[in-house]
Amino acid sequence: MPTQTLDPTFQGLLQGRYIATLGTENADGTIHLTAVWYLFEDGSLFIATSSKSRKARNIAARPKASLMIDARRPGTERGVNAAGRAELISGSQSGEINRRIHKRYMSAAAISDPQVGSVFESFDDVTIRLAPASWTAWDMAVLDAQAFGGRLGATPGYLLALD
């Protein structure tokens, strides 16, 4: 399957520090969704996890996944969804990638704390690599301008605050 490219205006979202949602397929065909930390490098998305996790077991059995990254700040709701082939990486390569993921989300103090950093390092013993074959991106400000003439974002009280 040819790889579809992502609009460059969304590259910044991939480099941001957000909580993403990973979707993998369970044995019964249902979808397993989980919140994850991620790293985008060299056109792939990486997720640190335990080899015992359901997401890792799902990838081992059915090597495909989707990852949604979205920013949910009022007036700037936008996101990216990547879908494609997934694989598990283990060993020293996994350890190196997972350290980079942890550094994106935890301070140096947390990483050096033996009750935090070392626990993450031992728990996250594999890495999921998602090679996107397709991308979907959305920007609610663009949709608002095109479909509603900008009224949703510009009219106080039209959109209710999120909890």
Side-chain angles (χ1 to χ4, degrees), residues 74-77 139-161:
T76 62
E77 297 91 352
D139 185 330
M140 287 304 294
V142 172
L143 176 62
D144 181 21
Q146 291 173 348
F148 306 110
R151 295 180 62 81
L152 288 179
T155 309
Y158 268 32
L159 296 177
L160 301 176

Side-chain angles (χ1 to χ4, degrees), residues 52 60 73 78 124 128-129 148 151:
K52 295 174 176 46
R73 293 185 197 108
R78 60 193 200 119
D124 288 343
I128 296 170
R129 177 184 175 266
F148 306 110
R151 295 180 62 81

Side-chain angles (χ1 to χ4, degrees), residues 42-119:
D42 301 323
S44 291
L45 290 150
F46 298 92
I47 299 99
T49 193
S50 167
S51 57
K52 295 174 176 46
S53 69
R54 178 179 292 206
K55 57 187 166 285
R57 292 190 323 264
N58 284 350
I59 294 297
R62 289 162 298 283
K64 58 186 175 178
S66 293
L67 187 79
M68 182 182 73
I69 302 163
D70 63 325
R72 299 180 190 190
R73 293 185 197 108
T76 62
E77 297 91 352
R78 60 193 200 119
V80 172
N81 187 70
R85 182 163 176 72
E87 66 176 322
L88 293 176
I89 301 169
S90 59
S92 62
Q93 183 184 11
S94 171
E96 292 170 16
I97 296 167
N98 290 351
R99 279 189 284 285
R100 291 197 304 274
I101 295 169
H102 295 156
K103 285 180 181 180
R104 277 178 44 83
Y105 288 89
M106 291 189 290
S107 69
I111 291 170
S112 66
D113 184 328
Q115 292 182 314
V116 178
S118 60
V119 172

